[in-house]
Amino acid sequence: MERRTIGATALEVGAIGLGCMPMSWAYTASQQRGDRSVRAVHAALDAGVTLLDTADMYGPFTNELLLGRVLRERRADAFVSTKCGLLVGEQHIVANGRPGYVRRACDASLRRLQTDVIDLYQLHRADPEIPVEETWGAMADLVRAGKVRALGLCAMGVRASRRSGAHLYDGTIRQLERVQQVFPVSAVQAELSVWSPESLERLLPWCDSRGVGFLAAMPLGNGFLTGTLTPGGGFEPEDLRARHPRFTAEMMAANQPVVAGLRRVAEAHGGEAAGVTPAQVALAWALGRGRHVVPVPGTKQERWAVENARAADLVLTAEDLAEIAQLPRAQGSWD
């Protein structure tokens, strides 16, 4: 697989990453099986994926434990990215950016992941009660201690930004400019997909101009852009899509033209007969947004992990990109 570099220290990763959250958090709990997920991680690594993205809150904790089962055998094959800063309660999630907590969280993640170093340690969310510089300083100390190689920041949620009346990601950019004064930012993780391109306006240019890597979260639109979801099919109660306004039966039906456009592009490259799918087109589009962009599609199935990895070989033409640019804007939002 093509390799890409992120951050000022030129960390090298496969062009496509693997989002591990669905294996133990937020999606179809009835289908979360550890052994199957472990096989999916192995298959991704075999296909050239290196970046494995997790967080201590996924599960909570069980996602890191799952990855630890793979890393104890294949640590040299993987680029490990995990996150801290969010605590999961029974009915709520709260931020904790206290330096002491950050240090303890890192040590706990290292134990669960069965490794002695985390390649990319990301701040999941800033704690509104703690200056972000204090949290980032504690994370920087972990780099100096040799427990972490580089630091990253996850963008603020869409809903929080829109409620404030600010431009999307303005708050994240302010945070980035503050923490950059303390210790270099190597990567930013934010949503980027054909149906959620908002980060292209300001956040991705900010990263490009500073050599900061961009981890494209949800590049398959929470599964919608794969074309495998049926409008009205429903979701399990704990599945995050059960509460997402774009995943009502009405909005899923209204947004089918987006998937149809991706399918047309896939057909232009041979379609199913050639092993080209709408999901791969969506990932190839994200890859084309910049040399430091690394899409991180999530899955818990070996089949999809391999299919996603093969998207790195798909080169979209100017005609393909023009067709995608003409697709209708997705309907339904958090507003």
Side-chain angles (χ1 to χ4, degrees):
M1 183 186 291
E2 172 199 350
R3 293 294 188 263
R4 295 196 165 189
T5 56
I6 57 175
T9 54
L11 303 168
E12 187 177 87
V13 297
I16 302 284
L18 176 64
C20 299
M21 181 178 74
M23 300 175 185
S24 51
W25 179 258
Y27 292 88
T28 51
S30 67
Q31 297 180 28
Q32 291 168 357
R33 301 182 182 91
D35 288 344
R36 184 170 70 176
S37 293
V38 166
R39 289 195 297 272
V41 179
H42 278 294
L45 292 172
D46 290 341
V49 169
T50 61
L51 192 151
L52 307 178
D53 187 67
T54 183
D56 57 4
M57 72 166 287
Y58 299 158
F61 312 128
T62 54
N63 203 246
E64 289 184 331
L65 288 167
L66 186 151
L67 279 188
R69 293 167 56 185
V70 177
L71 294 174
R72 68 187 177 195
E73 302 174 14
R74 304 188 63 174
R75 180 63 183 92
D77 298 329
F79 181 97
V80 181
S81 168
T82 192
K83 311 176 191 74
C84 70
L86 288 178
L87 299 175
V88 180
E90 293 218 356
Q91 299 293 331
H92 62 280
I93 298 173
V94 296
N96 188 336
R98 297 183 182 280
Y101 163 74
V102 169
R103 290 189 287 270
R104 293 191 300 273
C106 179
D107 287 341
S109 288
L110 288 167
R111 288 193 297 271
R112 287 189 291 267
L113 291 165
Q114 300 194 47
T115 185
D116 57 1
V117 64
I118 294 165
D119 295 306
L120 179 66
Y121 203 38
Q122 300 184 72
L123 179 60
H124 220 152
R125 290 291 181 273
D127 185 340
E129 303 297 326
I130 304 294
V132 69
E133 292 86 350
E134 291 186 21
T135 305
W136 200 255
M139 296 172 70
D141 287 341
L142 297 172
V143 179
R144 300 182 186 101
K147 297 180 179 182
V148 170
R149 292 179 63 201
L151 302 183
L153 184 77
C154 293
M156 291 172 58
V158 171
R159 285 179 287 174
S161 296
R162 284 182 175 163
R163 277 199 303 266
S164 71
H167 288 290
L168 193 58
Y169 298 125
D170 274 3
T172 295
I173 291 173
R174 286 193 294 271
Q175 287 181 352
L176 286 166
E177 290 174 344
R178 290 170 62 184
V179 301
Q180 192 82 308
Q181 303 301 313
V182 178
F183 192 88
V185 179
S186 288
V188 173
Q189 185 163 172
E191 184 172 5
L192 174 62
S193 70
V194 169
W195 81 342
S196 293
E198 293 87 355
S199 59
L200 296 177
E201 181 182 354
R202 304 175 83 157
L203 185 57
L204 185 55
W206 189 95
C207 293
D208 283 345
S209 67
R210 292 160 177 81
V212 173
F214 189 94
L215 306 187
M218 294 173 278
L220 297 178
N222 303 102
F224 183 82
L225 301 178
T226 66
T228 61
L229 299 180
T230 303
F235 299 96
E236 296 179 11
E238 295 179 355
D239 192 310
L240 62 83
R241 293 169 294 188
R243 300 175 298 281
H244 195 304
R246 283 191 181 171
F247 285 92
T248 64
E250 178 185 8
M251 287 299 99
M252 288 180 70
N255 285 318
Q256 286 304 306
V258 179
V259 175
L262 297 177
R263 187 170 283 113
R264 286 193 299 273
V265 173
E267 290 296 331
H269 289 265
E272 290 186 11
V276 181
T277 66
Q280 290 174 328
V281 173
L283 292 173
W285 176 90
L287 280 170
R289 299 313 93 202
R291 289 288 306 157
H292 301 298
V293 175
V294 178
V296 189
T299 187
K300 51 184 170 290
Q301 296 191 41
E302 183 177 351
R303 172 188 175 186
W304 305 131
V306 173
E307 178 182 303
N308 292 342
R310 289 175 179 162
D313 299 325
L314 179 61
V315 179
L316 300 180
T317 66
E319 291 77 13
D320 297 332
L321 295 172
E323 176 152 6
I324 293 171
Q326 294 302 313
L327 292 178
R329 292 184 62 87
Q331 298 184 46
S333 72
W334 289 109
D335 293 340

